[in-house]
Amino acid sequence: MGDLELKREASMKYLTLLVAALLFLAACGSNHDYAPKPRGFYRIPFPKKEYQDYAAGCPYTFTYPKYANIEPDKKRDAKPCWVNMQFPQFNATLHLSYQPITSKKEFHQLVEDARTFAFKHTVKATSIDEGIIHYADKKVYGIYYTIDGNAASSAQFFLTDSTHNYIRGALYFNSEPRLDSIQPVLNFIKQDMAVMIKSFKWK
């Protein structure tokens, strides 16, 4: 009786191994490719690059895209010539805050404030790079801050003539910051910011 049970047990093990081997071969013999597919995003329609001049009653002028809207900053603490450049189709805003310079001490403080505002995003940013802006013929100088990563603001800058005028710009998206999804739009708007900075003039 013991020999019969041993033979039956051996037969069951053999049958189990045979079934497992057949299933493995069937799985390997399939022609389907199960490689993971790259993540996809919604197609974003970008408007044609067209520009116009902004020359309101402020001590500065610049060129900006026709698909953007400029409106006065309506916050309670907003000062004269603070404006917001809205990109409604991209849910983004470029905040521009102007400040007259009344002393060297104030000028140095404004420059330091711009750096502080940019580097406050260090917690979320993967890197923050500084680029010098220098257009001596127009007396336009400043620093451009490129903020990489999932920071609330992806680009900031300030422009000044070093004696009388100062303006700071900060780009924000009105949604949770996710660089992987906003990167194409960010690159598109950065081109407009570059055009604006190159065309910027003091009155």
Side-chain angles (χ1 to χ4, degrees), residues 19 21 24 44 54 75 77 95 100 110 116 138 157 170 174 186 196:
V19 170
F24 178 76
I44 303 172
Y54 178 78
K75 293 197 297 290
D77 61 344
H95 301 276
L110 289 169
T116 300
K138 298 185 293 184
F157 65 88
N174 307 313
L186 177 59
M196 175 201 162

Side-chain angles (χ1 to χ4, degrees), residues 110-121:
L110 289 169
V111 171
E112 183 57 33
D113 287 347
R115 178 179 172 80
T116 300
F117 287 136
F119 278 84
K120 78 174 184 178
H121 298 286

Side-chain angles (χ1 to χ4, degrees), residues 26-39:
C28 291
S30 176
N31 291 326
H32 297 294
D33 183 9
Y34 291 105
K37 295 180 179 178
R39 174 187 270 180

